[in-house]
């Protein structure tokens, strides 16, 4: 498996271990959730560990639509605010 697959797999495990609700942080949907990195794995230094990248404080559950909007900087202001609030409340 390549590094990205590995990172993704561990992200899900880390998210689960943090006992976070399996739902979109923005719309609350729980049909299909993707675990997104708040700070993209590509924004970390090369010497960063998978553990750092997948720290539960760097993970957020998003539905596919909101994940795409997040990755493509296409979120509306209200959704950005909801996400910010979610991130600020992470333990």
């Amino acid at each position: 498996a390549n590094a990205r697959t590995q990172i993704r797999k561990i992200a899900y495990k880390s998210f689960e271990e943090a006992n976070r609700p399996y739902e979109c942080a923005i719309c609350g949907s729980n049909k299909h959730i993707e675990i997104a990195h708040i700070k993209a794995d590509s924004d970390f230094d090369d010497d960063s560990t998978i553990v750092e990248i997948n720290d539960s404080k760097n993970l957020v559950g998003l539905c596919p639509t909101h994940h795409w909007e997040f990755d493509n900087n296409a979120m509306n202001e209200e959704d950005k605010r909801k996400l910010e609030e979610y991130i600020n409340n992470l333990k």
Side-chain angles (χ1 to χ4, degrees):
N2 67 20
R4 280 200 181 283
T5 309
Q6 218 34 46
I7 288 171
R8 199 167 301 125
K9 222 181 264 175
I10 295 168
Y12 276 84
K13 201 168 171 289
S14 178
F15 188 83
E16 248 167 52
E17 286 170 357
N19 280 320
R20 302 255 287 285
Y22 210 68
E23 63 188 23
C24 178
I26 294 164
C27 68
S29 168
N30 60 3
K31 299 283 179 263
H32 176 77
I33 297 304
E34 298 170 354
I35 306 305
H37 290 91
I38 296 163
K39 176 181 173 183
D41 51 355
S42 55
D43 290 342
F44 280 85
D45 296 330
D46 290 340
D47 60 355
S48 295
T49 65
I50 287 182
V51 172
E52 285 175 89
I53 295 169
N54 284 326
D55 184 288
S56 66
K57 287 183 208 59
N58 189 41
L59 302 174
V60 58
L62 295 172
C63 67
T65 302
H66 283 120
H67 191 178
W68 184 90
E69 288 181 356
F70 177 66
D71 285 351
N72 292 280
N73 204 14
M75 271 187 184
N76 65 38
E77 289 310 309
E78 188 188 343
D79 288 351
K80 280 183 191 165
R81 194 180 45 71
K82 282 183 188 165
L83 184 60
E84 214 167 278
E85 204 172 290
Y86 178 89
I87 293 167
N88 291 337
N89 286 317
L90 289 178
K91 306 279 177 285

